[in-house]
Amino acid sequence: MLVIAVIKLKINMRNYIIALMTLGMFAQVKAQTLTEIIPYSNDSRVITTGVPFLLIASDARAAGMGDMGVATSADAYSQQWNPAKYGFSEAKSGLGISYTPYLSKLVNDIFLGNITYFNRLSEGSAFGISLKYFSLGEIEIVQDEFSEALIEKPNELTIDASYALRLADQFSLAVGMRYLRSDLKIQAVDDNASAASTFGVDIAGYYQGEEDAYNSFNGRWRGGFAIQNLGPKIKYDDAGRENFLPTMLRLGGGFDFIFDDYNRLNVTAEVAKLMVPTPPILGVEIEFEDDNGSGSFEEDEDTEIDRTEDVIISGKSQDVSFISGVFQSFGDAPGGFSEEIKEFTWALGAEYQYQDSFALRAGYFNESEEKGARKFFALGAGFKYTTINIDLSYLFSASKIQSPLENTLRFSLTFNFGDGEYNEY
């Protein structure tokens, strides 16, 4: 009986050891199943939107001062920057026409055109309307050697209307509505292609102080703000991706040095920020068996179990409404506060005017290297003959990335009707 008991004990001990070894093997296998998130190598910190042509300065005066206009003095093109300035126009009404070549070094049929009309209805109110048209030139499509070439002309346009109300002697407020249409799809390639459209709203304010006397000159302060293109996302087809509009916040201030009745120097500073969600840092999540025991995924040596694309490593999802996107844009940068600050562009500009008949302009625009790297100097000039203003501007890139407007001459023509009917200076 003792022998039998010893044999049974040995068998039980052997089974126990085998069981422990089996559990250990399973535990080891389980420990070797790991998950790793690998960032994409093509990560970009640049914020992209639909209809980006809305961010191009369409008039030569604003372009000559570094693409600014939210706090400069009123002109016919205030509709594009701050329609509240129409409440301070000295002209009863005006008509502005501008032309901006685009990618002029490569092609000659891509351009941005703009026509604007405003009317100051009374001392306290004004309205403006405008049409902006962006042509991407002609695209020739040849299906085969026996077919005739098909010509497509993709384009984008906006139609604007605004109303400005003078709430005080030194301050006016304006609201604007914008219809946007983007026809970029090629009909010859996709029979179901159709233009995308949406709308946007602008809210703007402008302050212009009284002329004050200083030691050797008189002066006047100016200030302005604008929230532009606030509206639903634009979508080209039912299955396509929705794109945010370039909703923009602009803040600016300036001072007029009035030396005498003939000479005046206007200096202005402006900051702007896209109120659009920052793209998060994305990667691919891989579940794998760590066959070589390195602790990280190696494609040639480890066994992949599962893969999940577009996993957010840092930042927030961009899949939100346009209203949520506006508020999210001030605190969603993966790099924290330091990256949020980089999303602000800034510009400095100056304009010298002689007897309201001649003007010289200069400006500088700066954008962070991580957020688009637009950096350029601008020069401009303006001439006035009776009721006609002619403005020109020229851009010099200061960035490693070449600007599509580099070495481009922009042209604007303005007709002022009832010039001097209102005295604001």
Side-chain angles (χ1 to χ4, degrees), residues 25-42:
M25 290 176 62
F26 277 115
Q28 185 177 10
V29 169
K30 187 175 181 181
Q32 288 178 344
T33 301
L34 304 178
T35 299
E36 182 179 5
I37 301 177
I38 303 174
Y40 292 141
S41 59
N42 59 346

Side-chain angles (χ1 to χ4, degrees), residues 94-399:
L95 176 68
I97 303 171
S98 68
Y99 175 80
T100 301
Y102 200 76
L103 291 171
S104 57
K105 282 188 172 183
L106 302 177
V107 294
N108 58 9
D109 58 353
I110 299 180
F111 69 90
L112 175 65
N114 175 246
I115 181 168
T116 304
Y117 172 80
F118 78 92
N119 191 306
R120 188 167 176 183
L121 302 172
S122 64
E123 288 279 353
S125 63
F127 78 90
I129 56 175
S130 70
L131 168 68
K132 186 183 289 186
Y133 180 81
F134 184 55
S135 170
L136 280 81
E138 293 186 351
I139 298 177
E140 186 177 292
I141 301 173
V142 180
Q143 295 180 336
D144 54 57
E145 57 182 327
F146 304 105
S147 303
E148 287 189 20
L150 300 175
I151 304 298
E152 295 283 352
K153 298 179 180 180
N155 62 83
E156 296 178 303
L157 64 85
T158 63
I159 300 174
D160 305 0
S162 67
Y163 179 77
L165 184 64
R166 192 90 165 253
L167 300 180
D169 288 342
Q170 286 83 41
F171 182 75
S172 67
L173 193 68
V175 293
M177 179 68 75
R178 175 169 297 110
Y179 168 75
L180 303 101
R181 183 178 185 273
S182 180
D183 188 6
L184 300 181
K185 287 203 167 184
I186 307 300
Q187 195 73 33
V189 176
D190 183 1
D191 293 334
N192 297 320
S194 60
S197 63
T198 186
F199 68 90
V201 174
D202 292 358
I203 302 171
Y206 180 70
Y207 168 83
Q208 181 170 281
E210 297 288 346
E211 184 175 328
D212 296 323
Y214 294 86
N215 290 334
S216 57
F217 59 88
N218 288 355
R220 178 190 301 107
W221 289 97
R222 293 172 280 103
F225 76 89
I227 299 173
Q228 300 175 304
N229 307 314
L230 182 63
K233 301 177 186 178
I234 191 167
K235 190 175 182 180
Y236 289 91
D237 53 58
D238 294 336
R241 174 188 172 187
E242 291 183 321
N243 295 280
F244 285 95
L245 296 183
T247 304
M248 180 70 76
L249 171 66
R250 297 185 185 275
L251 301 170
F255 187 79
D256 299 336
F257 295 88
I258 305 171
F259 301 109
D260 51 44
D261 292 338
Y262 302 101
N263 298 278
R264 185 170 70 191
L265 177 64
N266 313 320
V267 293
T268 309
E270 182 175 313
V271 295
K273 183 189 187 309
L274 275 171
M275 294 192 293
V276 175
T278 305
I281 296 177
L282 300 175
V284 55
E285 183 180 71
I286 301 176
E287 183 181 358
F288 64 98
E289 291 183 5
D290 189 16
D291 298 331
N292 63 1
S294 66
S296 61
F297 178 69
E298 297 180 23
E299 189 171 358
D300 296 332
E301 300 183 22
D302 296 328
T303 303
E304 182 177 325
I305 300 173
D306 190 26
R307 173 184 292 256
T308 304
E309 299 285 349
D310 296 334
V311 175
I312 295 177
I313 299 174
S314 180
K316 297 181 180 180
S317 172
Q318 291 180 297
D319 187 18
V320 295
S321 68
F322 75 93
I323 289 293
S324 298
V326 167
F327 294 100
Q328 179 176 309
S329 67
F330 290 94
D332 63 347
F337 181 74
S338 61
E339 185 176 349
E340 290 289 351
I341 291 298
K342 293 177 182 179
E343 292 180 358
F344 283 84
T345 64
W346 57 268
L348 297 173
E351 178 183 49
Y352 168 75
Q353 291 180 302
Y354 176 75
Q355 206 174 9
D356 287 332
S357 59
F358 175 73
L360 288 175
R361 306 180 184 105
Y364 176 74
F365 180 92
N366 183 85
E367 182 178 53
S368 169
E369 294 281 350
E370 297 178 17
K371 297 297 179 177
R374 290 179 297 162
K375 303 174 188 290
F376 57 82
F377 295 94
L379 294 176
F383 310 90
K384 182 177 180 180
Y385 178 73
T386 63
T387 62
I388 301 174
N389 286 32
I390 300 174
D391 295 296
L392 305 170
S393 70
Y394 198 76
L395 182 150
F396 303 89
S397 179
S399 172

